[in-house]
Amino acid sequence: MRYDFGGTHSLRQERIKLARELLSSLGVLEHPGVREVPAGAGLEEEILLIHSKEYVEAVKASGRNPSGAGWRYMGYGLGTLDNPVFADMYDASALHVGGTIRAGRAVLSEDVDHAFNLGGGFHHASRSRASGFCVFNDVAIVISALLEEGLHRVLYVDVDAHHGDGVQYSFYSDPRVLTISLHEDGRYLFPGTGFVKELGEGEGEGYSVNVPLPPYTGDTEYMRAFEEVVPPLAESFKPQVIVTQLGVDTHYSDPLTHLNLTTNAHRRIAEELHGLAHDISNGRWVAAGGGGYEPSAVARSWTLMFGAMVERELEDRIPDSWPPIYESLLGGKVNVLTLTDPKVPSRPGVGREVERVLEEVRRALSPYHRL
Ligand SMILES: [Zn+2]
Ligand SMILES: [Zn+2]
């Protein structure tokens, strides 16, 4: 919650608390087999697995004196409209890193199959630059930490509406990390990358996979694209662990994007990933949150995804105790009182457009993988 770009910014971290409170009000956190653990801040040496020392110093210095930062740190992407400088930015960002690292270590070395850090998924940050609301790239950092632990096949799946550029380019020439990002086509949405031809380079060629989807792609077309690409690649790559960025700004109500998914698709995505983890990576699944700018949709989607992760059918009706929490954190009224959404009609023609994208993906990947 201290990761706070200010009251007029699109990123409302209250959404994380809302998701956590919704899980709690449904009793999910008390299920046998579910543990909630404190995170603690990520260490600087962990942050330095991905980021440069000079950038880390810039994050520290600018957050010590946000009002005096002005233009000084713009070269690091700090002090922009997307990434305003805020007090104690380093500590707040390091805490998100610590959460995802904690999730990674739990899955790697403790008696835990899956772990979910709702407060992670900052997939746009690059080595020396903040970008797209992201200061430290916790997902790239955990992948790097897992490689340091000796793993050599990590599958990264990014379902955020925005391309996972920071993670892709962190491992662009590294064949140990297969990155797959499904997102809204970069011609229509930030960050403007994630085209099919971005396939990796050098030894990593063929290990960056992108599925750019047309605006208004709905549940049916999205799941068709997911099924066509993610399970076959996972089966041929045989990852030792699956790391996912579970941004839910693909939701039809999201104010920043133009995809048309419902919370029902979000649950199905998580069910698919869960099945793949058990079938292929010995259950190992490290999940982080990500984008999502309509807070009640975010809370409902992550609750359903968590339910899929722990194999629980959740009561669809939202408990009466939750709306007052929403209202006290964000004001306004909660107008959706079920976890699932009604069906959203597909835009005519979008199915054919998605088929064309899939054909392009199959063709581009054919020298490297069987799809
Ligand atoms: Zn996003
Ligand atoms: Zn499981």
Side-chain angles (χ1 to χ4, degrees):
M1 299 277 287
R2 283 153 58 206
Y3 192 90
D4 184 1
F5 290 122
T8 57
H9 195 278
S10 298
L11 185 68
R12 304 288 349 147
Q13 291 296 63
E14 289 86 351
R15 68 207 178 112
I16 295 170
K17 188 169 172 62
L18 284 169
R20 192 263 167 215
E21 295 304 322
L22 185 52
L23 284 163
S24 169
S25 68
L26 287 159
V28 186
L29 302 178
E30 283 75 47
H31 280 307
V34 176
R35 263 199 300 149
E36 189 178 28
V37 295
L43 305 175
E44 183 167 325
E45 67 195 62
E46 291 165 337
I47 295 167
L48 291 171
L49 289 170
I50 289 295
H51 297 287
S52 68
K53 180 75 180 162
E54 55 163 334
Y55 173 62
V56 170
E57 291 306 322
V59 172
K60 284 182 183 171
S62 58
R64 273 197 292 265
N65 180 15
S67 53
W71 303 86
R72 279 179 63 193
Y73 302 98
M74 294 276 270
Y76 299 105
L78 299 167
T80 61
L81 283 176
D82 272 4
N83 287 80
V85 172
F86 59 90
D88 297 323
M89 188 165 56
Y90 176 84
D91 291 338
S93 307
L95 197 52
H96 289 308
V97 172
T100 306
I101 285 277
R102 181 75 178 83
R105 296 215 190 286
V107 165
L108 194 63
S109 52
E110 294 168 32
D111 189 19
V112 167
D113 280 335
H114 327 306
F116 193 171
N117 174 25
L118 297 172
F122 294 88
H123 60 167
H124 294 305
S126 63
R127 182 170 159 75
S128 294
R129 204 174 164 82
S131 171
F133 318 160
C134 304
V135 175
F136 293 145
N137 196 324
D138 59 297
V139 260
I141 291 168
V142 80
I143 293 171
S144 191
L146 291 166
L147 296 174
E148 293 274 304
E149 293 287 339
L151 297 193
H152 51 271
R153 281 191 317 280
V154 179
L155 172 64
Y156 173 72
V157 181
D158 187 319
V159 298
D160 194 279
H162 302 90
H163 175 227
D165 56 344
V167 182
Q168 171 180 296
Y169 286 108
S170 292
F171 304 102
Y172 207 51
S173 55
D174 191 338
R176 295 175 300 172
V177 184
L178 172 61
T179 63
I180 307 175
S181 180
L182 296 97
H183 46 264
E184 183 176 340
D185 190 318
R187 288 175 296 175
Y188 310 106
L189 192 69
F190 178 89
T193 54
F195 296 100
V196 175
K197 62 180 193 307
E198 293 165 43
L199 288 164
E201 64 188 13
E203 286 181 36
E205 199 178 304
Y207 291 88
S208 290
V209 175
N210 286 291
V211 186
L213 296 163
Y216 307 107
T217 294
D219 287 2
T220 310
E221 304 82 43
Y222 188 95
M223 290 317 298
R224 159 100 181 112
F226 186 96
E227 299 281 355
E228 194 70 6
V229 174
V230 180
L233 284 173
E235 275 152 27
S236 75
F237 184 63
K238 297 189 175 49
Q240 296 161 300
V241 60
I242 302 177
V243 177
T244 61
Q245 198 271 19
L246 301 181
V248 289
D249 44 5
T250 49
H251 193 260
Y252 70 89
S253 71
D254 197 277
L256 299 192
T257 68
H258 322 95
L259 295 178
N260 246 357
L261 269 56
T262 68
T263 60
N264 317 354
H266 292 148
R267 176 171 172 107
R268 282 188 55 202
I269 290 167
E271 284 171 347
E272 288 287 331
L273 292 166
H274 181 242
L276 288 173
H278 282 291
D279 289 348
I280 296 168
S281 61
N282 202 18
R284 286 170 171 172
W285 177 19
V286 181
Y293 305 97
E294 203 293 288
S296 69
V298 174
R300 293 187 298 121
S301 289
W302 282 345
T303 295
L304 284 167
M305 290 177 126
F306 193 91
M309 181 179 250
V310 299
E311 288 183 84
R312 298 286 165 177
E313 268 319 315
L314 305 178
E315 183 71 53
D316 195 39
R317 197 179 158 280
I318 288 174
D320 294 338
S321 58
W322 188 75
I325 302 173
Y326 179 98
E327 285 150 25
S328 72
L329 283 171
L330 288 166
K333 276 258 173 267
V334 178
N335 47 20
V336 186
L337 292 170
T338 54
L339 294 179
T340 56
D341 282 321
K343 257 189 157 38
V344 173
S346 289
R347 174 170 66 77
V350 78
R352 272 196 311 280
E353 292 169 32
V354 169
E355 289 307 322
R356 277 201 293 275
V357 173
L358 292 175
E359 186 47 43
E360 195 190 339
V361 172
R362 274 190 292 268
R363 221 177 313 125
L365 292 180
S366 62
Y368 316 101
H369 309 279
R370 266 205 131 96
L371 271 186

